[in-house]
Amino acid sequence: MTLTLDDVTLTYPDGDGRVVALDAVTLDVPAGSLTAVVGPSGSGKSSLLAVAATLVTPERGRVVVDGADTASLSRAGKAALRRERIGIVFQQPNLLPALTAAEQLQVMAHLSGRSAAQVRERAVELLDTVGLADQAGRRPHQLSGGQRQRVNIARALMNEPSVLLVDEPTSALDHERGAGVLDLLVTLTRARGTATVLVTHDHTHLDRMDRTVSMADGRLTVPVG
Ligand code: ADP
Ligand code: MG
């Protein structure tokens, strides 16, 4: 139940040449631990998450999720892996305006073989876990920014992922609400045993993470000690 990136290199076309988004990146994230990724804009943080999520295929290196080398998977295999094993939380919650908080979660489980009642029960339980038990029937416009981001996180956990990938979840939140969301991610990582990667520009809570790594120009630096 881990995530491993092994010597991953990713480039994008850039004019006549190519820009190196990830330069021989190696990262091992054990189950139940949270690795924070910091670094300036354009340093490759989102690219690292995209590769880990199997949304982008690197030209070199391996991405291993739960022991499975993702290079051997077909497109459909990768889609299934994402659905079943990987929870993704983007910067903006992208909730569907017409759906209640509980329904945002329920639509994630359409292929899981569970009954509608089981799915509903799980959605309500997860909303309770993120502190929104009494908001299950509310639509996005009735929720605060912090509450919407909590729905976003709960939605990513709906299919019990082993890997949780989170990109700058607090960028639209004030300091206090941001701190609450980071706290929640640490708690969920421990309780659910996910291998969590958190991209953040918020340096005030890094002491709560298991480890912090830095990106610069596509290269990842692991601090010594
Ligand atoms: P960060 O998340 O740290 O801001 P990114 O991973 O988004 O960094 O970007 C890393 C580098 O790759 C940057 O130079 C960026 O311009 C480039 N890049 C990212 N996505 C694309 C893309 N889809 N096409 C071309 N270049 C890209
Ligand atoms: Mg980014």
Side-chain angles (χ1 to χ4, degrees), residues 41-42 44-47 91 167-168 199:
S41 180
K45 305 181 300 295
S46 294
S47 298
Q91 211 160 330
D167 200 351
E168 308 215 20
V199 169

CSV table of all heavy atoms in Angstrom, one decimal, residues 41-42 44-47 91 167-168 199, ligand 2:
chain,number,residue,atom,x,y,z
A,41,SER,N,6.7,28.1,-7.9
A,41,SER,CA,5.8,27.9,-9.1
A,41,SER,C,6.6,27.5,-10.3
A,41,SER,O,7.7,28.0,-10.5
A,41,SER,CB,5.1,29.2,-9.3
A,41,SER,OG,4.2,29.0,-10.4
A,42,GLY,N,6.2,26.4,-11.0
A,42,GLY,CA,6.9,26.0,-12.2
A,42,GLY,C,8.0,25.0,-11.9
A,42,GLY,O,8.7,24.5,-12.8
A,44,GLY,N,7.6,21.9,-10.8
A,44,GLY,CA,7.3,20.5,-11.2
A,44,GLY,C,6.4,19.8,-10.2
A,44,GLY,O,6.1,18.6,-10.3
A,45,LYS,N,5.9,20.5,-9.2
A,45,LYS,CA,5.1,19.9,-8.2
A,45,LYS,C,3.8,19.2,-8.7
A,45,LYS,O,3.5,18.1,-8.4
A,45,LYS,CB,4.7,20.9,-7.1
A,45,LYS,CG,5.9,21.6,-6.5
A,45,LYS,CD,5.5,22.6,-5.4
A,45,LYS,CE,4.5,23.7,-5.9
A,45,LYS,NZ,5.1,24.6,-6.9
A,46,SER,N,3.0,20.0,-9.5
A,46,SER,CA,1.8,19.4,-10.1
A,46,SER,C,2.1,18.3,-11.1
A,46,SER,O,1.4,17.3,-11.2
A,46,SER,CB,1.0,20.5,-10.8
A,46,SER,OG,0.5,21.4,-9.8
A,47,SER,N,3.2,18.4,-11.8
A,47,SER,CA,3.7,17.3,-12.7
A,47,SER,C,3.9,16.0,-11.9
A,47,SER,O,3.6,14.9,-12.4
A,47,SER,CB,4.9,17.7,-13.5
A,47,SER,OG,4.7,18.9,-14.3
A,91,GLN,N,-6.7,21.8,-6.3
A,91,GLN,CA,-6.7,23.1,-5.7
A,91,GLN,C,-8.2,23.6,-5.6
A,91,GLN,O,-8.6,24.0,-4.5
A,91,GLN,CB,-5.9,24.0,-6.6
A,91,GLN,CG,-5.2,25.1,-6.0
A,91,GLN,CD,-4.1,25.6,-6.9
A,91,GLN,OE1,-3.6,24.9,-7.7
A,91,GLN,NE2,-3.9,26.9,-6.8
A,167,ASP,N,-3.2,18.6,-4.2
A,167,ASP,CA,-2.5,19.8,-4.8
A,167,ASP,C,-3.0,21.1,-4.2
A,167,ASP,O,-4.1,21.5,-4.5
A,167,ASP,CB,-2.7,19.8,-6.3
A,167,ASP,CG,-1.6,20.6,-7.0
A,167,ASP,OD1,-0.8,21.3,-6.4
A,167,ASP,OD2,-1.5,20.5,-8.3
A,168,GLU,N,-2.1,21.7,-3.4
A,168,GLU,CA,-2.4,23.1,-2.9
A,168,GLU,C,-3.8,23.2,-2.4
A,168,GLU,O,-4.6,24.1,-2.8
A,168,GLU,CB,-2.0,24.1,-3.9
A,168,GLU,CG,-0.6,24.0,-4.4
A,168,GLU,CD,0.1,25.3,-4.7
A,168,GLU,OE1,-0.3,26.3,-4.2
A,168,GLU,OE2,1.1,25.3,-5.5
A,199,VAL,N,1.0,18.7,-2.0
A,199,VAL,CA,1.7,19.9,-2.5
A,199,VAL,C,1.2,21.1,-1.8
A,199,VAL,O,0.0,21.3,-1.7
A,199,VAL,CB,1.5,20.0,-4.0
A,199,VAL,CG1,2.0,21.4,-4.5
A,199,VAL,CG2,2.2,18.9,-4.8
B,2,MG,MG,1.1,23.4,-9.5
